[in-house]
Each structure stands twice: as C-alpha cells, then as structure tokens.
Amino acid sequence: IKGLRDRIRGTYGASKDPHAMSSRFVRGMKSFNILVGMGSATLSSIPDIGRVVMTEGFLNFHEKGLRHFFKNSSSLIKRLSQKELNQAAIASDAILGLRASAFSDVGDLFGSRMSFERNLNKTTGLFFLANGLNYWNQTIKSFAGNVIMMRMTESIMQPWSKLSKRQQEKLLANGIDQQGHMIMQMNIKKHGQKVSGEWMPNTEKWTDRTMAMKFKNALNQSVDRTIVTPGAGDRALW
C-alpha cells in the first residue's frame, strides 16, 4: 500500500538525498538510455492496432472505426468524438507524452541540478516527438477511443435486458450498472446527437454530472486497457 501511495505521488524509490551525485547519475542514465535505445519505438508499437481487434472484436473495429473514415459525415464524427476524448483526458499524448513516460518510467521532481542534467531531461521529451512515438500514441488512442465510445453508447441506448452477457460485463467492468445505464440513456437521448446512425454522448451537457464523470472514467479506463498504458498500480516496485 505504501508503495502504491508513493507511486501515485511519484516519489517511490527516490533517494533520501535526491541531490546526491549517485541519485543524479541514475536519473541521468535513465534519460540517456531512452536517447540511445528508443529510436525505433514507434515501429515496435505498430502491433497496438491489433489490440483494438482483440478487446473490441473485428466487427466493432470495422463498423465503429474503419467504416466511418469513408463516410461523408466523417469530419463531423471526428470533431464530436475528439471533443469527447479530450474531455475524458484521452489522446493528448502528442502534448503530454503520458504513455511514453509511463513505459520508460522517467520523471523529474527535482529541479536544483546542473544545466547539463536539466537539458538531458528535456531532451527525452523532445526525443519522443522526434521518433514519432507521441504522435503514434495519440493517433492510435484516438482511433481506439472512437471505437470504444461508439460501442459504449450503442450498448447504453439499448434496453439492459436485451444486452448480451458480454456487453453487460463490459459495462459492469467499468462501474456502469443497470441503474447507471438507464440514467446515461436518458441523458444521451436528451443531450446527445445522432450522426450516421451513431450516438455522440455530448457529456458536457448532461444534467447528471456524476454519471457524466463515470462515463468519461469508463472511456478512459477502457482506452488505457486497450492501448496498454501502465498506471501507478501497474509498474513494478523497482
């Protein structure tokens, strides 16, 4: 429990004296290791595409994802879904580099260092832009987010009793029970927008803010499980 607490704070494994030369050397070498060893990180991440098929199924991958790229309404769907994804803190890796930093386990809480160390740490952020990893993560998360959001809204807009066991389990795994399902359905009917047969939830207008937050959390969790993004509880206590 203490380890998880410190992981969330970002202080796990930190030296008692973070300004000691040994501690600074380790942090510097972690940044150096990224610069020399992650040039082809984007190429090795291409199999992420298969994760969407694995978690959502090929039918959803095609119907909720690929098919909408070739519709006349694709730009409207993209604009509405991107707005929803941004509000759920998804697909912002091009700016924040969250997934890349989580995988490489680098961070910087200590600012009193030599200019060489500060520049080395800043360079890792620029490197993830240069090798395309941040842009790849944003693109694949946006695609996965579109598929998952449309799958969720499709399930929510159907009567609970008519959902398959698998559909119910997917909602329940993210904390959406039968009562929550009904409330979300009412909010989508009132404030959502239907485009090319797909419901856009438009959660910013929902009157039930608790359910709006639950929907966004469910979307965020599902995307992070699909395009694997380790959280504080997923990384080893090294």
Side-chain angles (χ1 to χ4, degrees), residues 57-234:
F58 188 81
L59 184 63
N60 283 331
F61 173 77
H62 177 263
E63 293 293 321
K64 311 295 183 189
L66 295 179
R67 191 165 62 92
H68 288 295
F69 280 106
F70 305 102
K71 285 187 172 183
N72 293 330
S73 57
S74 61
S75 59
L76 178 59
I77 291 176
K78 183 178 180 181
R79 180 168 56 83
L80 292 173
S81 61
Q82 189 62 45
K83 183 179 181 181
E84 198 68 44
L85 295 177
N86 289 339
Q87 291 175 358
I90 298 171
S92 55
D93 277 79
I95 301 171
L96 301 178
L98 298 176
R99 189 180 185 222
S101 296
F103 270 125
S104 54
D105 199 16
V106 292
D108 186 22
L109 300 175
F110 316 106
S112 179
R113 298 161 301 144
M114 298 178 183
S115 60
F116 172 76
E117 295 171 83
R118 290 196 298 271
N119 291 332
L120 185 62
N121 185 264
K122 290 178 182 177
T123 304
T124 58
L126 294 174
F127 184 74
F128 286 132
L129 292 174
N131 69 2
L133 185 59
N134 283 352
Y135 294 112
W136 168 258
N137 289 337
Q138 173 151 326
T139 301
I140 193 64
K141 279 192 169 187
S142 292
F143 180 82
N146 284 340
V147 174
I148 292 169
M149 183 181 69
M150 292 180 190
R151 184 263 301 166
M152 285 175 59
T153 52
E154 183 180 61
S155 296
I156 289 171
M157 296 310 290
Q158 296 180 48
W160 180 268
S161 58
K162 291 187 177 181
L163 295 178
S164 67
K165 186 177 180 182
R166 179 173 173 78
Q167 288 175 313
Q168 291 180 0
E169 286 175 348
K170 277 182 172 286
L171 293 174
L172 289 168
N174 290 299
I176 301 175
D177 56 12
Q178 186 172 357
Q179 182 179 4
H181 172 275
M182 181 183 66
I183 297 172
M184 287 182 181
Q185 185 181 106
M186 291 169 58
N187 277 277
I188 293 176
K189 283 181 178 178
K190 185 175 180 180
H191 303 290
Q193 183 176 350
K194 201 168 188 178
V195 182
S196 294
E198 302 290 352
W199 280 100
M200 300 291 113
N202 205 10
T203 54
E204 66 176 0
K205 294 184 179 179
W206 288 17
T207 51
D208 192 321
R209 300 313 303 164
T210 301
M211 284 299 158
M213 184 60 68
K214 182 171 285 191
F215 182 93
K216 292 175 184 177
N217 286 340
L219 180 58
N220 190 301
Q221 291 170 7
S222 296
V223 172
D224 280 354
R225 279 198 295 265
T226 300
I227 308 302
V228 181
T229 306
D234 299 316

Side-chain angles (χ1 to χ4, degrees), residues 10-18 23 110:
T11 59
Y12 184 84
S15 169
K16 291 182 178 179
D17 181 7
S23 178
F110 316 106

